């Protein structure tokens, strides 16, 4: 699948919710190189307030966070009319049978397992943002 070098410049903003600094750096570098703006937090509670305030176009959500679980973040965002349309991609090392369904049940739209591949992250980000904009138009 073609995932060309830097995409069209855009103001597409992605909220990265992740408490591992190396993962934050990697995700940020990949996404910014491809023309996305990033917002970063390591707190689930702050992810909820930032989502309401900054209206990101997509959220990459770690499930194991220092304060509240990512699944709880997803539940809160999907219960709020202001934020329920923002696609949420769970990015997590959980890989037990049933975990994927658990993330989807909590309101996540998709799931990428860690360690993630750059190609997979970009593909899922592009697909999620595109599907949202086509629904909206
Ligand atoms: Mn974590």
């Amino acid at each position: 699948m073609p995932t060309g070098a830097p995409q069209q410049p855009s103001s597409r903003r992605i909220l990265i919710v992740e408490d591992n600094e190396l993962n934050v750096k990697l995700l940020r570098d990949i996404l910014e190189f491809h023309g996305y703006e990033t917002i970063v937090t390591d707190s689930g509670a702050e992810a909820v307030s930032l989502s309401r305030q900054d209206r990101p176009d997509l959220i990459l959500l770690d499930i194991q966070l220092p304060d509240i679980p990512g699944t709880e973040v997803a539940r809160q965002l999907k219960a709020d009319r202001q934020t329920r349309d923002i696609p949420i991609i769970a990015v997590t090392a959980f890989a037990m049978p049933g975990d994927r369904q658990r993330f989807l049940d909590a309101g996540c739209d998709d799931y990428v397992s860690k360690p993630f591949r750059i190609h997979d992250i970009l593909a899922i980000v592009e697909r999620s943002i595109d599907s949202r904009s086509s629904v909206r138009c």
Side-chain angles (χ1 to χ4, degrees), residues 18-20 62 64-65 114:
E18 170 64 77
D19 63 318
N20 177 288
D62 182 24
Q64 287 181 291
L65 295 167
K114 289 175 183 168

Side-chain angles (χ1 to χ4, degrees), residues 14-131:
I14 299 180
L15 174 59
I16 300 169
V17 188
E18 170 64 77
D19 63 318
N20 177 288
E21 285 179 25
L22 285 177
N23 283 337
V24 168
K25 178 169 176 15
L26 184 55
L27 289 169
R28 205 172 193 168
D29 286 352
I30 295 166
L31 293 169
E32 290 186 354
F33 180 75
H34 285 266
Y36 296 97
E37 272 180 52
T38 60
I39 307 164
V40 175
T41 180
D42 64 358
S43 150
E46 192 173 64
V48 173
S49 56
L50 280 172
S51 297
R52 292 187 177 130
Q53 181 188 311
D54 290 347
R55 314 298 311 262
D57 297 289
L58 180 92
I59 300 168
L60 293 177
L61 179 63
D62 182 24
I63 298 297
Q64 287 181 291
L65 295 167
D67 53 352
I68 58 175
T71 45
E72 181 54 31
V73 174
R75 269 186 209 101
Q76 290 186 25
L77 292 175
K78 293 300 179 179
D80 183 337
R81 201 186 317 154
Q82 279 184 286
T83 52
R84 71 163 59 129
D85 291 337
I86 305 172
I88 300 174
I89 311 300
V91 183
T92 174
F94 283 114
M96 303 296 284
D99 277 335
R100 181 185 173 88
Q101 193 56 46
R102 191 163 65 83
F103 304 144
L104 298 180
D105 289 346
C108 296
D109 297 275
D110 214 331
Y111 166 61
V112 178
S113 60
K114 289 175 183 168
F116 51 79
R117 298 188 315 149
I118 290 173
H119 173 87
D120 292 342
I121 290 284
L122 283 172
I124 206 163
V125 163
E126 286 166 12
R127 195 163 68 229
S128 302
I129 286 186
D130 287 350
S131 68

